[in-house]
Amino acid sequence: MSQIERILVVGAGQMGHQIGMLSALGGYTTTIQDVNEAALQKAQGILEGLMTKWVAKGRITEDQKQAAFAKLQFSTNLEEEAKKADFVIEAVVEKLDVKKEVFRKLDELAPAHAILASNSSTIVNSAIASVTSRPDKVCNMHFFFPPLVMDCVEVVMSEETSEETAQLTMEVCKRMNRTGVLLKKEISGFIANRILGALQREAVSLYESGIADYKDIDIICRKALNHPIGPFELMDLSGIDVGYYVMQQRFAETGDPADQPPACIEEKVKQGHLGRKTGKGFYDYQPVEVKS
């Protein structure tokens, strides 16, 4: 296959809807699919707001915005949309059993030529490709949060991923105006999240040991290490539950107690304090009422 024309993004959550927008901006006929109609409506509203801001800031023209939305559609019908796709990007919850079920369905529905890519931030594609009949056409395409801001995509090959699949995926990155980095050998967590995970584990250990408050650890990372955002602020931004599921998956793979989710992370998830998206995580994001 020499050309990708139609892209399907499965999952309209905080990653999926922005990946879909990048695809449409890149000129692909794009569908964002989700089983939840309310999630699709929310995604569409968010994207319309973001693109209006981009036009106001001069990042794109009004004509470019209109052209992108003309390429973009939203659907709850996976069967209908998968049958038309040349390239599928899965962006569902970071749980291996859920991803396997999605890929099993996609393998049955999508054309034989279609590439199936996972936006997983840590799960290697060979663990998912095993449920398909096309492991040569499966890869990781890991965008960073938020995709409309972060200019990097980790494209990861397994031993069975074909060179053609890898190169076509890199071309999709280029059309989406994102810098693709090709990893020809897979490892859980890839590159960025292995480095980030080491930083976060140490930050959490220092906090739970009572060495320093999480706010002070964030300050040190920003001021002394020149990080744009501290590790606890970043967990709040990306979603504490997302990191929790990643840790659970890593522990399931390794059995190493060091890979288990720390107590403070587990507590936040049980409380439903997942970060910015819920209004509270390590920090409180609830609007402060100003008395006149």
Side-chain angles (χ1 to χ4, degrees), residues 87 115 125 135-141 154-158 160-174 180-184:
F87 196 102
I115 290 171
N125 72 79
D136 60 312
K137 291 183 171 62
V138 177
C139 66
N140 288 94
M141 191 181 188
E154 290 175 318
V155 176
V156 189
M157 300 173 67
S158 72
E160 294 189 86
T161 306
S162 72
E163 189 66 33
E164 180 188 34
T165 294
Q167 292 308 318
L168 283 169
T169 305
M170 291 291 284
E171 179 60 30
V172 170
C173 292
K174 187 175 180 181
V181 179
L182 181 60
L183 281 63
K184 295 203 170 189

Side-chain angles (χ1 to χ4, degrees), residues 72-257:
L72 184 62
Q73 58 184 338
F74 302 82
S75 175
T76 57
N77 193 326
L78 179 63
E79 181 174 357
E80 180 181 324
E81 299 305 329
K83 286 179 179 178
K84 300 183 288 188
D86 299 315
F87 196 102
V88 184
I89 303 172
E90 165 272 311
V92 302
V93 67
E94 194 73 355
K95 293 184 177 181
L96 180 58
D97 57 340
V98 178
K99 291 184 184 294
K100 278 186 171 182
E101 184 56 30
V102 170
F103 270 72
R104 188 179 289 109
K105 290 179 181 177
L106 290 171
D107 187 49
E108 294 173 358
L109 298 169
H113 69 261
I115 290 171
L116 308 180
S118 174
N119 179 54
S120 174
S121 60
T122 186
I123 301 171
V124 293
N125 72 79
S126 60
I128 306 169
S130 60
V131 302
T132 77
S133 61
R134 61 181 93 189
D136 60 312
K137 291 183 171 62
V138 177
C139 66
N140 288 94
M141 191 181 188
H142 175 219
F143 292 79
F144 292 85
F145 182 75
L148 283 166
V149 176
M150 300 295 286
D151 175 26
C152 191
V153 180
E154 290 175 318
V155 176
V156 189
M157 300 173 67
S158 72
E159 290 184 359
E160 294 189 86
T161 306
S162 72
E163 189 66 33
E164 180 188 34
T165 294
Q167 292 308 318
L168 283 169
T169 305
M170 291 291 284
E171 179 60 30
V172 170
C173 292
K174 187 175 180 181
R175 281 273 301 273
M176 289 185 179
N177 197 30
R178 288 295 172 266
T179 301
V181 179
L182 181 60
L183 281 63
K184 295 203 170 189
K185 185 174 182 180
E186 61 179 11
I187 183 170
S188 177
F190 318 138
I191 301 302
N193 278 341
R194 291 186 73 87
I195 295 171
L196 179 61
L199 173 68
Q200 289 183 335
R201 280 194 298 274
E202 186 61 25
V204 169
S205 176
L206 290 167
Y207 167 59
E208 290 191 334
S209 299
I211 303 300
D213 184 71
Y214 66 87
K215 292 180 181 179
D216 291 329
I217 294 170
D218 278 350
I219 289 171
I220 288 169
C221 287
R222 291 198 313 271
K223 301 292 186 180
L225 304 181
N226 204 28
H227 291 187
I229 189 170
F232 294 93
E233 293 169 313
L234 182 56
M235 284 187 271
D236 274 4
L237 176 63
S238 58
I240 293 172
D241 56 329
V242 175
Y244 177 73
Y245 294 142
V246 167
M247 294 171 193
Q248 282 188 317
Q249 177 61 34
R250 180 73 63 81
F251 177 62
E253 291 176 10
T254 67
D256 185 347

Side-chain angles (χ1 to χ4, degrees), residues 16-30:
H17 73 278
Q18 293 202 16
I19 294 170
M21 193 74 242
L22 285 173
S23 175
L25 286 166
Y28 293 111
T29 300
T30 305

